[in-house]
Amino acid sequence: MQPLAAQPTQARSSRRNFSFGAWKQGVLWTFLTLYAILTLYPLFWLVLSSFKTNAEFFNSPFGLPASWQFSNYVTAWKSSKMGTAFLNSVIVSLVSLALTLFVSSLAAYVLARIKFRFKAIILTFFVIGMLIPIHSTLVPLFILMKQVGLLNSYWALILPYTAFALPTAIFVLTAYLASVPKEIEEAAYIDGTRLWGVFWRIMLPISLPALSTVIILSFLHFWNDFSFALVFISKSSLKTLPLSIANFADGYQTDYGLTLAAMTIAVIPTIAVYLAFQEQVMKGMTAGAVKG
Amino acid sequence: MNASYVRRFVVLSLLPAILVYALFVFVPVIWSTYYSFFDWKGIGAAKYIGLKNYVEIIHDTIFWRAMKNNLIFLVVSVFGQLPIALVLAILLHKSNALQRFIRSAVFVPMVLSSVVIGMIWQYIYHPQIGILNFLLDKLGLESWKLQWLSDTKIAIFALAPPLIWSFVGLYLIIFISAFQNIPGEIHDAAQIDGAEGTRKLISITLPMIWTTVQIAIILCISGSLKSFDLVYVMTKGGPAHGTELLATYMYNSTFSSYRYGFGSAISTSIVLISLIFIGLSQWITSRKTKA
């Protein structure tokens, strides 16, 4: 897949459209640019408002802050355990990510490269997972976690996160690894490398592009999750960012600058990931789209 | 390498994935179906009541209200998101700087947490401090000002713009990659045959990406039946069940009213309804292709 390569025919057709009416093109692109700006505006508003005082937030919601209230960020971080929530999100996301990558790449290697019985059944078993609505598992998972005493622990999030990331990860990685030529492994076998060595030293490095898709996709899911955290975590010292922000609004209901600063802090990592790996994020979304 | 070594490697490599996945995805779904035949408050003994929970669901006006709201979401997704995304994709599948900018901008909400999305739009709709009513005031349209999220009749429709806003980018990217997978020769052949502009779009480009449109419709259906976070954050299903969805009703029944069995029955219904709708959409869209 070469998503962004402009094909010569397309260039030709765009030239033809251009001669067809420059002013029409002008109107069209102005409209599209406006649409893009309108789409970005809520985010822009979020960041601007996070620097405002309450009075300003109320009186001039569209203007620039008269004086930039950086203190909103300091207060949000300190007074509301944002630091703890941030750390919780980092821990839960990173551990889930590591688990997802290890478990899914090993399974994908076996499913893509080794012949054995029941392979098709196992693959189907995983792919079905992409159609299962997360919420239909909330009640039984809650009961399960309660019975084994996992509620209010990092594992209450890490295990379901990993489990729900597996179908997409295995799907993406298996498809990628299946396209690797046989000769590469055969050479390694002749040199005496065994399966674990082939996986670790050949397959893992080769699947780096697919792995990065899985990394980004899973990270965004883990970092942004709300439902699992809402149901499985009630202890305030274990709350992740989305959950603590949702509660934040209740606690500091009237301090808008503060709430918006907290929201901005939560958004920064995902926007940073997005800006740094734009093409990869978009490609990943299409690969993982089956998950919905 | 001998066969038993390979077999051991296969089993050991697949085991962690199968265990985690089965335990936390597969078994819960089956378990949920099992619970749906019980009357259970989460503590004490569960009482087997057969299909009573499902009978109650059929007579439950709130359930049908939630169902109707889910259908509104489904219609908004299929007839709101998909056409916008398709038009944008047709205009943006080439790649100059402006097109890349618009594409990225439209996609940005996809990477945000639904909590943040919900809260931003809550502020936009806020009756006193919200920028929507502020703007209407400034434009002299005071009479258009509404209690966007607290009016039972309006609230569900007020949720449509954030829904569209957050997901258009996904479908845009799906459609763009479908366009790029159409081989260049087909465009050339069409050109030689004299097909241009709209004609080319209708008789060549759209049929060629029809499978992708079908997939997008399935995603819209399963996505809209899964909607939960955004609504939970913005309205919690209120006012007076005005924005109740199947998933929020399931959550509220289970975790606010402590009716685990009933909540499980709703969960199971969601899975069933999703499957029925996906099947239906497959049937309808594949008939269209043959015609």
Side-chain angles (χ1 to χ4, degrees):
Chain A
M1 197 166 57
Q2 271 256 293
L4 295 172
Q7 285 158 356
T9 40
Q10 289 164 351
R12 215 182 300 145
S13 72
S14 98
R15 239 191 338 267
R16 192 196 55 237
N17 283 345
F18 203 75
S19 61
F20 163 76
W23 68 271
K24 267 189 190 166
Q25 290 274 315
V27 171
L28 181 67
W29 290 109
T30 313
F31 178 76
L32 282 175
T33 312
L34 273 177
Y35 182 84
I37 291 171
L38 209 64
T39 301
L40 285 181
Y41 187 77
L43 264 186
F44 180 70
W45 172 86
L46 167 69
V47 177
L48 268 194
S49 309
S50 69
F51 289 103
K52 288 178 180 171
T53 60
N54 250 2
E56 240 189 329
F57 178 83
F58 192 87
N59 293 323
S60 71
F62 292 102
L64 287 173
S67 66
W68 296 70
Q69 303 293 315
F70 287 95
S71 59
N72 283 344
Y73 282 83
V74 180
T75 319
W77 185 267
K78 276 190 191 151
S79 72
S80 58
K81 294 188 183 150
M82 273 289 284
T84 317
F86 200 94
L87 190 69
N88 288 337
S89 276
V90 170
I91 292 172
V92 169
S93 300
L94 289 187
V95 176
S96 309
L97 200 56
L99 258 180
T100 303
L101 287 179
F102 180 72
V103 170
S104 67
S105 55
L106 198 54
Y109 163 55
V110 169
L111 288 167
R113 312 297 301 182
I114 300 173
K115 280 203 188 93
F116 60 94
R117 250 194 319 168
F118 306 126
K119 190 157 124 170
I121 296 172
I122 293 175
L123 253 175
T124 318
F125 172 64
F126 280 116
V127 172
I128 289 173
M130 296 198 274
L131 290 173
I132 292 176
I134 284 187
H135 304 111
S136 63
T137 63
L138 279 178
V139 183
L141 273 181
F142 177 80
I143 295 164
L144 176 87
M145 303 267 190
K146 202 168 158 189
Q147 281 166 352
V148 294
L150 277 181
L151 280 187
N152 282 314
S153 75
Y154 287 137
W155 292 108
L157 297 180
I158 292 169
L159 292 171
Y161 283 177
T162 306
F164 272 94
L166 282 179
T168 315
I170 289 176
F171 178 73
V172 171
L173 291 170
T174 308
Y176 189 86
L177 281 174
S179 65
V180 174
K182 274 252 175 293
E183 290 75 29
I184 295 180
E185 275 158 294
E186 276 156 13
Y189 291 142
I190 294 164
D191 291 345
T193 316
R194 308 194 81 188
L195 292 173
W196 175 256
V198 172
F199 165 70
W200 194 246
R201 271 176 287 164
I202 299 171
M203 290 303 163
L204 218 49
I206 281 182
S207 48
L208 209 62
L211 280 174
S212 59
T213 294
V214 173
I215 291 174
I216 293 165
L217 211 59
S218 318
F219 170 77
L220 289 174
H221 276 293
F222 303 156
W223 188 267
N224 288 334
D225 167 74
F226 177 66
S227 332
F228 282 146
L230 175 71
V231 176
F232 303 144
I233 302 291
S234 53
K235 218 160 131 186
S236 69
S237 63
L238 288 176
K239 283 180 178 165
T240 53
L241 273 174
L243 188 58
S244 74
I245 288 167
N247 294 342
F248 201 102
D250 300 330
Y252 292 79
Q253 213 150 26
T254 47
D255 211 329
Y256 302 111
L258 218 56
T259 312
L260 294 164
M263 282 160 71
T264 311
I265 293 172
V267 158
I268 288 169
T270 56
I271 300 274
V273 167
Y274 175 60
L275 291 179
F277 305 101
Q278 249 191 66
E279 296 304 323
Q280 202 70 34
V281 174
M282 290 187 181
K283 253 193 266 175
M285 282 289 168
T286 3
V290 204
K291 195 174 175 183
Chain B
M1 277 176 294
N2 63 48
S4 80
Y5 164 76
V6 174
R7 200 178 313 131
R8 210 177 60 219
F9 184 83
V10 166
V11 171
L12 283 178
S13 302
L14 286 174
L15 210 59
I18 292 178
L19 267 182
V20 173
Y21 172 73
L23 215 59
F24 292 93
V25 180
F26 223 76
V27 173
V29 174
I30 295 163
W31 216 359
S32 179
T33 312
Y34 174 75
Y35 280 133
S36 71
F37 300 114
F38 287 85
D39 180 20
W40 190 32
K41 299 205 160 38
I43 40 165
K47 194 176 131 215
Y48 178 79
I49 53 165
L51 288 172
K52 272 206 182 118
N53 282 325
Y54 292 95
V55 174
E56 188 183 337
I57 281 177
I58 290 172
H59 296 290
D60 184 354
T61 49
I62 303 171
F63 179 86
W64 290 107
R65 177 113 198 222
M67 182 78 195
K68 191 181 130 201
N69 286 337
N70 268 111
L71 285 179
I72 293 175
F73 265 36
L74 194 155
V75 171
V76 165
S77 311
V78 174
F79 296 99
Q81 284 167 2
L82 293 190
I84 297 177
L86 197 57
V87 170
L88 287 176
I90 290 167
L91 296 169
L92 296 174
H93 69 283
K94 286 158 253 162
S95 207
N96 63 36
L98 181 63
Q99 287 173 328
R100 268 204 300 273
F101 163 72
I102 298 170
R103 220 153 53 190
S104 307
V106 174
F107 192 78
V108 166
M110 274 308 296
V111 305
L112 302 181
S113 167
S114 44
V115 172
V116 172
I117 294 174
M119 286 174 67
I120 291 179
W121 284 85
Q122 234 176 342
Y123 283 122
I124 291 177
Y125 284 132
H126 196 289
Q128 280 91 43
I129 58 161
I131 51 177
L132 182 57
N133 276 354
F134 185 92
L135 192 69
L136 291 174
D137 233 355
K138 282 276 174 294
L139 293 173
L141 299 166
E142 285 90 351
S143 58
W144 292 19
K145 282 167 66 177
L146 290 168
Q147 306 275 332
W148 300 102
L149 293 176
S150 41
D151 187 316
T152 339
K153 289 202 179 67
I154 298 165
I156 188 73
F157 297 102
L159 293 174
L163 190 72
I164 294 176
W165 182 70
S166 50
F167 286 111
V168 160
L170 174 66
Y171 298 105
L172 171 64
I173 296 306
I174 291 175
F175 287 142
I176 286 179
S177 62
F179 279 134
Q180 269 144 1
N181 285 339
I182 299 176
E185 299 86 61
I186 289 176
H187 288 285
D188 291 334
Q191 213 92 35
I192 293 164
D193 292 344
E196 304 222 334
T198 329
R199 174 103 184 85
K200 197 172 106 187
L201 185 72
I202 291 169
S203 34
I204 293 152
T205 318
L206 282 184
M208 289 218 57
I209 65 155
W210 190 246
T211 333
T212 310
V213 176
Q214 275 174 288
I215 292 171
I217 292 174
I218 293 176
L219 284 177
C220 271
I221 294 170
S222 65
S224 54
L225 284 164
K226 278 190 241 176
S227 307
F228 172 77
D229 297 11
L230 189 74
V231 174
Y232 184 81
V233 171
M234 289 181 74
T235 62
K236 293 208 161 59
H241 302 292
T243 59
E244 198 78 85
L245 298 177
L246 294 174
T248 58
Y249 191 40
M250 183 274 295
Y251 178 86
N252 289 333
S253 305
T254 314
F255 298 103
S256 308
S257 318
Y258 300 104
R259 301 189 60 201
Y260 285 74
F262 187 67
S264 298
I266 302 176
S267 293
T268 309
S269 310
I270 298 175
V271 178
L272 286 177
I273 294 167
S274 308
L275 292 177
I276 292 171
F277 273 114
I278 290 171
L280 264 179
S281 80
Q282 285 277 55
W283 185 63
I284 294 171
T285 50
S286 63
R287 263 163 37 122
K288 222 182 237 171
T289 350
K290 273 174 213 142

